[in-house]
Amino acid sequence: MPQLRIALAQVNATVGDLDGNAGLVASWTARAAAEGAHLVVFPEMALTGYPVEDLALRESFAAASKQALTELAARLDADGHGSVAAVVSYLDRDDVGPRDAVAVLYDGRVAATQFKHHLPNYGVFDEARLFKAGQALDIVRLHGLEIGMVICEDIWQEGGPISALGAAGVDLVVAPNASPYERNKDDQRLPLVARRAAEAGAPLVYVNLVGGQDDLVFDGDSLVVSPTGEVLTRLPQFVEHLTVMDVDLPGDAATASGDIEGFAVRRVTLSDSPLSPYPPLPAARVFEPLSELEEMWRALQLGLCDYVKKNGFSSVVLGLSGGIDSAVCAALAVDALGAEQVHGVSMPSVYSSDHSRSDAADLAERTGLHYTEQPIADMVSVFVNQLGLTGLAEENVQARCRGVTLMGLSNQHGHLVLATGNKTELAVGYSTIYGDAVGGFAPIKDVPKTLVWELARWRNSYALVQGHTEPIPPNSITKPPSAELRPGQMDSDSLPDYELLDRVLDDYIEGDRGYGDLVAAGFVPELIDKVLRMVDRAEYKRRQYPPGTKITFKAFGRDRRLPMTNAWREGK
Amino acid sequence: MPQLRIALAQVNATVGDLDGNAGLVASWTARAAAEGAHLVVFPEMALTGYPVEDLALRESFAAASKQALTELAARLDADGHGSVAAVVSYLDRDDVGPRDAVAVLYDGRVAATQFKHHLPNYGVFDEARLFKAGQALDIVRLHGLEIGMVICEDIWQEGGPISALGAAGVDLVVAPNASPYERNKDDQRLPLVARRAAEAGAPLVYVNLVGGQDDLVFDGDSLVVSPTGEVLTRLPQFVEHLTVMDVDLPGDAATASGDIEGFAVRRVTLSDSPLSPYPPLPAARVFEPLSELEEMWRALQLGLCDYVKKNGFSSVVLGLSGGIDSAVCAALAVDALGAEQVHGVSMPSVYSSDHSRSDAADLAERTGLHYTEQPIADMVSVFVNQLGLTGLAEENVQARCRGVTLMGLSNQHGHLVLATGNKTELAVGYSTIYGDAVGGFAPIKDVPKTLVWELARWRNSYALVQGHTEPIPPNSITKPPSAELRPGQMDSDSLPDYELLDRVLDDYIEGDRGYGDLVAAGFVPELIDKVLRMVDRAEYKRRQYPPGTKITFKAFGRDRRLPMTNAWREGK
């Protein structure tokens, strides 16, 4: 069988940074070339970053993307790598409109281009808004081998380009992807890629983006699968990674062109002459996927790290209450940025327990983050006395004085503020808008409370396995949760038991189930009523909440778009 | 020519309120029946409200909508109005998916149904996400006359259902709409409706929704246009309105059915017997559209009013700085809710001018709103001294103490907080997050600063014409704008002249123009650089800003979806 040496360049591109991303493509192509690669494959929209959202509609940006692509082709050649076929995805625009596109750069030119066919427009995706679909397929001939291309969603939908490539005849399919991480999603990828490789009758090279972008994190987890379903390589998750490997290709593909299954198939010859046989590299490594909890931790860590760094910050500040949420956020921040860059502030009020301070101090000592105390009693008393606040108004003003304190420290010292709320709180509105909700980023926004505890336990046991100190104070994990905004207050005064609450929320929010389904699932009507009402009424708070990394099937934000003004109540 | 008495029911439906909206349809059908109407037409999705956003995807909500429709058909019959054909739009769901649908209720039954064909997925619309397109047309025969239906976007796109209805043969087309207001949009409607009436060869009855829903306001402005382009009626803007009128119909339509231009055309007979000639009503009134400035004022007033009331509030509180933005917001609130429901708070700091207080007090006296003073010096000094804040951090803490004050008063007294920022500020980030940006609603969020002044002048002259006191203090209009966060501070210290700034912003934001276009438009590069950089860097603030009524072609929010993490800089 003919061989081909293929490089999978699992890079972390930054949205809008055409210069930086072009530099990334150039340097990784050089690395691939140094290892003798004939073909290097980058993720979807590696040149522009992904998702660019409405930047796709701006003509000046599309023009800049196209120009950057042309310049990049010349640069690769000037660097001496013109004979390495580089598969680079970018934003194109033609008379029809903007295109999610992929190009093959070869010999100093843009040798072939193709547009994405299936445009996802569900969940977090708005591609029907942004792009026009392609109906043409470019198959390039490299060393006499036929290489077809598809982009991301093109492999997630039945039928379409893969089937047409199989009918046309290809020796290899490359698939640039930008597939955001969510819990359990990597379990779907491998069988999917294997099915598509079988349909195409050729190995499939799946290269996924890595890195954080606002609410999304891309996990990498790139793959090569043979047409018989054998995993030839699997790249690690949540890190940039280059794999260079030799793949045996059939070399006997048909070379049909023209209209095939509704696609305009064009053949583009880069080089006709077959490679002479050469000693292959050892088999490429197949990295094992991470455990479910580690995977989520790394997703949150990378999402946080990239939001901070790609927005030009180096340090963060957050309130430390001694509770589990702020402890987990702090531990994530320390993992993401290093303890030196993390500033924790304990802000006790007159209602704060002793353990709120001692647990916060314990966290600081375990992790090495910067720790200060700023009591809020004086601030609170001015507002309470001058405005005559009582009850809930008095509770909220405490949270808001903490918010003003953190924002003041942020403005004074240049740290990004982290909001420490979890998904359960955000769902039921158990947070103070402009209080504990302030922040540039909310690391555990999409983590249900029960999962916050699980992650804390996982992180501590991981530390023990590594021979390190457990970062999270055991007392923060085991003590009953409290907002401490009035004497003796406990979360359980206002909320159902978290185990039960998270099960209802999972059905209502991720499952989008109605009242009847929830009753059928065995929840009592009073509980359903109470929880659903809290969720529905808190939509306005969620709209003003900072972004945070999506890790579940359905995160708050563009994944779940509900009106604020909404009289619909399930069960009525 | 055969006559038909048609009622246009321009109602204000509430999203999710199936019971309330069904009640609205029943009572307005009764009013139409009392005036002898044979046909009554309601706006798009009158039964569910519009837009329902992701509620469209929830099976329980679609099922409830379908059930409410069936019950409503029976109720109209039980009320004695079964022989009035009621065109009621609703959310349907079948095996294919959710549908934006319209039904004809007659004789106690759902006699005909049809699904929207063109699904808008640009600007504020996400209908490709939410609905599946229909490819069938139901034409109902009422008193021997053939009545076809289309829904909203079906008339905005060339080709499609209108052309098929024309080919099939109809005597009348009815078009339920939910077309959100934006500046100058009503200028497009009339020629569009006229063109479609000509294509169908029949009068077209266009009934648009009225009312506010989160960021959107629907202006009504319903129309009937003859096939020769004559405007037979035009309803007033921004108010609920019932028009009952006699329309002469051709009565000689072909009655083709089956596959016509790709649509499955079905004929449904409600009643065959022609009406005996009867004395017609006098010609219906053609309301003149409002002037451009009044139109915008009424849009903002209704958007604010409906957000407050549909969310269960009756009163609002806002900070009064003596400046133009808070004065216009207060005047809008007084127009929307009555002075009794508006609470203005002057919150002077040590840097506040004397006129900041006297102008605020003047505003209160002119409008009759509730006025109090809450100096913030004590609050600010605790934060500044305890945290050691200087410079920008000290400026921001003043704005944030005002935010905490307003939220405290809101929590204590149950008022909704209004944020008073304008579109120009929001564009360039000239506001303090969690400070002046706090609020449940931001009435002038989509109003550029120069337009704020124009609206203020318009409102005052309108008052004079009405013989009322000018609500806005002339000094608030004429004095140079200042945030008053440090001694002698003026907006012009940090920002270009507002006239110039708003022209750049209009090109960059509404026009989505690039650097080259802006240079070609005659702006100097340094100005372009400065403004665009401010806009790009403020995206994170806009994400956490409260909702406000869209009045321009492109509002911040779902109309303009840009990444926060975004390294793209025009002109680089």
Side-chain angles (χ1 to χ4, degrees):
Chain A
M1 273 193 181
Q3 299 162 285
L4 196 69
R5 187 162 291 177
I6 299 171
L8 288 79
Q10 179 174 295
V11 295
N12 186 340
T14 298
V15 162
D17 188 7
L18 297 176
D19 290 348
N21 297 335
L24 211 54
V25 171
S27 63
W28 285 59
T29 299
R31 288 173 57 194
E35 297 190 40
H38 307 112
L39 175 72
V40 56
V41 184
F42 290 88
E44 183 180 13
M45 290 189 81
L47 190 55
T48 55
Y50 184 92
V52 297
E53 305 189 49
D54 279 4
L55 273 183
L57 305 175
R58 197 180 299 170
E59 293 185 28
S60 57
F61 185 62
S65 166
K66 289 170 76 168
Q67 190 185 334
L69 186 77
T70 308
E71 290 170 2
L72 180 58
R75 174 174 175 180
L76 297 182
D77 193 46
D79 289 352
H81 311 311
S83 66
V84 179
V87 178
V88 180
S89 181
Y90 69 107
L91 172 66
D92 203 330
R93 185 183 180 106
D94 60 13
D95 293 345
V96 179
R99 308 285 199 160
D100 184 332
V102 59
V104 181
L105 309 185
Y106 189 78
D107 208 11
R109 326 166 269 119
V110 179
T113 57
Q114 178 177 314
F115 305 143
K116 191 174 188 175
H117 175 69
H118 287 299
L119 300 173
N121 202 63
Y122 53 81
V124 299
F125 302 107
D126 282 316
E127 293 198 359
R129 170 188 181 87
L130 302 176
F131 303 115
K132 300 295 175 184
Q135 203 66 35
L137 299 171
D138 268 7
I139 299 175
V140 297
R141 186 170 181 84
L142 179 68
H143 298 299
L145 297 162
E146 301 292 325
I147 304 169
M149 301 180 283
V150 292
I151 304 177
C152 201
E153 188 79 2
D154 290 341
I155 66 167
W156 287 85
Q157 303 294 328
E158 293 300 323
I162 286 274
S163 168
L165 287 178
V170 284
D171 295 305
L172 179 71
V173 175
V174 297
N177 268 258
S179 178
Y181 172 76
E182 70 188 33
R183 200 175 172 174
N184 302 327
K185 196 176 187 183
D186 57 336
D187 300 344
Q188 304 166 43
R189 268 185 204 141
L190 179 52
L192 180 79
V193 172
R195 202 156 75 238
R196 298 296 174 241
E199 271 175 43
L204 198 150
V205 176
Y206 169 102
V207 179
N208 193 23
L209 191 65
V210 71
Q213 170 62 26
D214 291 349
D215 295 313
L216 301 181
V217 65
F218 299 87
D219 60 332
D221 194 30
S222 302
L223 288 168
V224 177
V225 179
S226 79
T228 56
E230 193 188 349
V231 180
L232 303 179
T233 194
R234 185 163 196 162
L235 275 61
Q237 293 172 279
F238 303 109
V239 289
E240 291 193 301
H241 194 85
L242 180 73
T243 288
V244 180
M245 65 189 299
D246 285 301
V247 181
D248 293 330
L249 305 185
D252 57 358
T255 56
S257 62
D259 186 344
I260 296 172
E261 297 184 5
F263 289 86
V265 175
R266 184 172 76 131
R267 298 276 171 174
V268 177
T269 298
L270 307 180
S271 65
D272 245 333
S273 50
L275 292 165
S276 312
Y278 60 86
L281 295 168
R285 182 158 167 200
V286 178
F287 284 84
E288 281 299 306
L290 301 173
S291 74
E292 197 185 353
L293 288 168
E294 178 163 10
E295 187 180 84
M296 288 190 274
W297 188 273
R298 298 302 169 208
L300 297 170
Q301 177 185 330
L302 180 58
L304 168 58
C305 177
D306 275 4
Y307 189 86
V308 172
K309 292 187 176 168
K310 290 179 178 181
N311 282 289
F313 288 88
S314 53
S315 57
V316 296
V317 61
L318 76 169
L320 300 182
S321 70
I324 187 66
D325 296 325
S326 57
V328 165
C329 287
L332 280 166
V334 168
D335 284 356
L337 306 167
E340 193 53 41
Q341 303 299 336
V342 181
H343 299 259
V345 189
S346 167
M347 295 173 284
S349 76
V350 295
Y351 303 127
S352 294
S353 60
D354 289 341
H355 59 74
S356 77
R357 261 177 284 190
S358 58
D359 290 340
D362 185 18
L363 171 73
E365 197 174 310
R366 288 165 175 272
T367 57
L369 58 75
H370 301 278
Y371 179 70
T372 51
E373 277 197 22
Q374 292 290 355
I376 59 166
D378 293 349
M379 303 156 180
V380 170
S381 66
V382 181
F383 285 101
V384 167
N385 295 332
Q386 182 175 329
L387 304 175
L389 304 181
T390 56
L392 183 69
E394 186 191 349
E395 292 184 29
N396 281 343
V397 91
Q398 297 168 62
R400 293 199 179 106
C401 284
R402 293 185 176 120
V404 175
T405 298
L406 291 175
M407 291 305 297
L409 296 172
S410 167
N411 287 154
Q412 192 70 37
H413 303 295
H415 315 309
L416 183 83
V417 176
L418 301 182
T420 61
N422 62 64
K423 188 176 192 177
T424 306
E425 277 179 13
L426 195 59
V428 297
Y430 195 68
S431 71
T432 302
I433 189 168
Y434 319 126
D436 52 296
V438 310
F441 198 76
I444 58 170
K445 177 183 184 180
D446 197 36
V447 185
K449 184 76 174 188
T450 49
L451 184 55
V452 175
W453 277 306
E454 277 190 82
L455 285 169
R457 291 198 179 90
W458 172 83
R459 183 63 186 81
N460 274 1
S461 35
Y462 180 81
L464 290 179
V465 171
Q466 305 281 309
H468 298 152
T469 308
E470 295 173 305
I472 297 160
N475 196 43
S476 295
I477 302 179
T478 51
K479 69 184 176 185
S482 164
E484 298 194 343
L485 295 175
R486 59 175 186 262
Q489 184 184 31
M490 288 288 146
D491 289 11
S492 53
D493 301 343
S494 317
L495 300 178
D497 173 76
Y498 276 116
E499 290 288 340
L500 183 60
L501 176 57
D502 276 355
R503 284 197 291 123
V504 178
L505 293 174
D506 188 60
D507 274 6
Y508 185 52
I509 291 163
E510 303 220 31
D512 211 14
R513 305 250 155 72
Y515 193 87
D517 303 314
L518 294 167
V519 170
F523 300 112
V524 298
E526 294 70 25
L527 173 73
I528 302 173
D529 278 339
K530 176 175 177 168
V531 174
L532 271 51
R533 216 133 299 210
M534 286 193 290
V535 173
D536 292 345
R537 294 176 62 94
E539 188 58 35
Y540 78 99
K541 289 190 186 179
R542 290 189 285 271
R543 290 290 185 101
Q544 295 191 37
Y545 207 77
T549 306
K550 168 185 162 82
I551 63 162
T552 69
F553 173 68
K554 192 180 287 183
F556 293 122
R558 59 186 159 172
D559 224 0
R560 182 178 187 268
R561 307 177 190 179
L562 286 177
M564 286 172 286
T565 303
N566 175 10
W568 172 244
R569 296 291 173 261
E570 289 287 339
K572 262 176 62 180
Chain B
M1 274 193 181
Q3 299 163 286
L4 197 69
R5 187 161 292 180
I6 300 171
L8 288 79
Q10 179 173 296
V11 296
N12 186 341
T14 299
V15 162
D17 187 8
L18 297 175
D19 290 349
N21 297 335
L24 211 54
V25 171
S27 64
W28 284 59
T29 299
R31 288 174 56 194
E35 298 189 40
H38 308 113
L39 176 73
V40 55
V41 184
F42 289 87
E44 184 180 12
M45 291 188 83
L47 189 56
T48 55
Y50 184 92
V52 297
E53 304 190 50
D54 279 4
L55 272 183
L57 304 175
R58 197 181 298 168
E59 293 184 29
S60 57
F61 184 62
S65 166
K66 289 170 75 168
Q67 190 185 334
L69 185 79
T70 308
E71 290 170 3
L72 179 57
R75 174 175 174 180
L76 296 183
D77 194 45
D79 288 351
H81 311 311
S83 66
V84 179
V87 177
V88 179
S89 182
Y90 70 107
L91 172 67
D92 203 330
R93 186 183 180 105
D94 60 12
D95 292 345
V96 179
R99 307 285 200 161
D100 184 331
V102 58
V104 181
L105 309 185
Y106 189 79
D107 208 12
R109 313 166 280 120
V110 179
T113 57
Q114 179 177 314
F115 305 143
K116 190 174 189 174
H117 175 70
H118 287 298
L119 300 173
N121 202 63
Y122 53 81
V124 300
F125 302 107
D126 281 316
E127 293 197 0
R129 172 188 180 89
L130 303 176
F131 302 116
K132 299 296 175 185
Q135 204 65 36
L137 299 171
D138 269 7
I139 299 174
V140 298
R141 186 170 181 83
L142 179 68
H143 298 298
L145 297 163
E146 301 292 325
I147 304 168
M149 302 180 281
V150 292
I151 304 177
C152 200
E153 188 78 3
D154 290 342
I155 66 165
W156 287 84
Q157 302 295 327
E158 293 301 322
I162 285 273
S163 168
L165 287 176
V170 286
D171 295 304
L172 179 71
V173 176
V174 298
N177 267 257
S179 178
Y181 171 75
E182 69 188 31
R183 198 175 174 175
N184 303 327
K185 197 178 188 182
D186 57 337
D187 300 341
Q188 303 165 44
R189 267 184 205 142
L190 179 54
L192 181 79
V193 172
R195 203 157 73 237
R196 297 294 174 243
E199 272 175 40
L204 198 150
V205 176
Y206 169 102
V207 180
N208 194 22
L209 191 65
V210 72
Q213 169 62 27
D214 291 349
D215 296 312
L216 301 181
V217 66
F218 299 88
D219 59 334
D221 193 28
S222 302
L223 290 167
V224 178
V225 179
S226 80
T228 56
E230 194 188 348
V231 180
L232 304 178
T233 194
R234 185 164 194 159
L235 275 60
Q237 293 173 278
F238 304 110
V239 289
E240 291 192 302
H241 193 84
L242 181 73
T243 287
V244 181
M245 64 191 298
D246 285 301
V247 182
D248 292 330
L249 305 185
D252 58 358
T255 55
S257 62
D259 186 344
I260 295 172
E261 298 186 2
F263 289 86
V265 175
R266 186 174 76 135
R267 299 275 170 175
V268 178
T269 298
L270 307 181
S271 66
D272 246 331
S273 48
L275 291 167
S276 311
Y278 60 87
L281 294 169
R285 177 154 171 205
V286 178
F287 285 83
E288 281 299 305
L290 301 173
S291 73
E292 199 187 350
L293 288 168
E294 177 162 11
E295 186 181 85
M296 288 190 274
W297 187 273
R298 298 301 167 208
L300 298 170
Q301 177 185 333
L302 180 58
L304 168 58
C305 177
D306 275 5
Y307 189 87
V308 171
K309 292 188 176 167
K310 290 180 179 180
N311 282 289
F313 288 88
S314 53
S315 56
V316 295
V317 61
L318 76 169
L320 300 182
S321 69
I324 186 66
D325 296 326
S326 58
V328 165
C329 287
L332 280 166
V334 168
D335 283 356
L337 306 167
E340 193 52 43
Q341 303 299 336
V342 181
H343 300 260
V345 189
S346 166
M347 295 173 284
S349 76
V350 294
Y351 304 126
S352 294
S353 60
D354 288 341
H355 60 74
S356 76
R357 261 177 284 190
S358 58
D359 291 339
D362 186 18
L363 172 73
E365 198 175 308
R366 288 165 174 272
T367 57
L369 58 75
H370 300 278
Y371 180 70
T372 51
E373 276 197 24
Q374 291 292 353
I376 59 165
D378 293 351
M379 304 155 180
V380 170
S381 67
V382 181
F383 285 102
V384 167
N385 295 332
Q386 182 175 329
L387 304 175
L389 304 181
T390 56
L392 183 70
E394 186 192 349
E395 292 184 31
N396 282 341
V397 90
Q398 298 168 61
R400 294 199 178 105
C401 285
R402 293 188 176 117
V404 174
T405 297
L406 292 174
M407 291 305 298
L409 296 171
S410 167
N411 288 155
Q412 191 71 35
H413 304 292
H415 315 309
L416 183 83
V417 176
L418 300 183
T420 61
N422 62 64
K423 189 178 192 176
T424 306
E425 277 180 13
L426 196 60
V428 297
Y430 196 67
S431 71
T432 302
I433 190 169
Y434 320 126
D436 51 296
V438 310
F441 198 75
I444 59 170
K445 177 183 183 181
D446 197 35
V447 185
K449 183 79 176 187
T450 51
L451 184 55
V452 176
W453 277 306
E454 278 190 82
L455 285 169
R457 291 200 179 90
W458 172 82
R459 183 62 187 83
N460 275 2
S461 37
Y462 180 81
L464 290 178
V465 171
Q466 305 282 310
H468 297 152
T469 309
E470 295 175 303
I472 297 160
N475 196 44
S476 296
I477 302 180
T478 52
K479 69 184 177 186
S482 164
E484 299 194 342
L485 295 174
R486 57 174 187 264
Q489 185 183 30
M490 289 289 145
D491 288 11
S492 52
D493 302 343
S494 318
L495 300 178
D497 172 76
Y498 276 117
E499 290 289 339
L500 183 60
L501 177 56
D502 277 355
R503 285 196 290 122
V504 179
L505 293 174
D506 188 59
D507 275 5
Y508 185 51
I509 292 162
E510 302 217 34
D512 211 14
R513 305 249 156 73
Y515 193 87
D517 304 312
L518 294 166
V519 170
F523 300 112
V524 297
E526 294 68 26
L527 173 74
I528 303 173
D529 278 338
K530 176 174 177 168
V531 174
L532 271 51
R533 216 134 298 211
M534 286 193 291
V535 173
D536 293 344
R537 294 176 64 93
E539 187 58 36
Y540 78 99
K541 289 189 186 177
R542 289 190 285 271
R543 291 289 185 99
Q544 296 190 38
Y545 207 77
T549 306
K550 168 185 162 81
I551 63 163
T552 70
F553 173 69
K554 192 180 285 182
F556 293 123
R558 59 186 159 173
D559 224 2
R560 182 179 188 267
R561 307 177 188 178
L562 286 178
M564 287 173 285
T565 303
N566 175 11
W568 172 243
R569 296 291 173 262
E570 288 288 339
K572 261 175 63 177

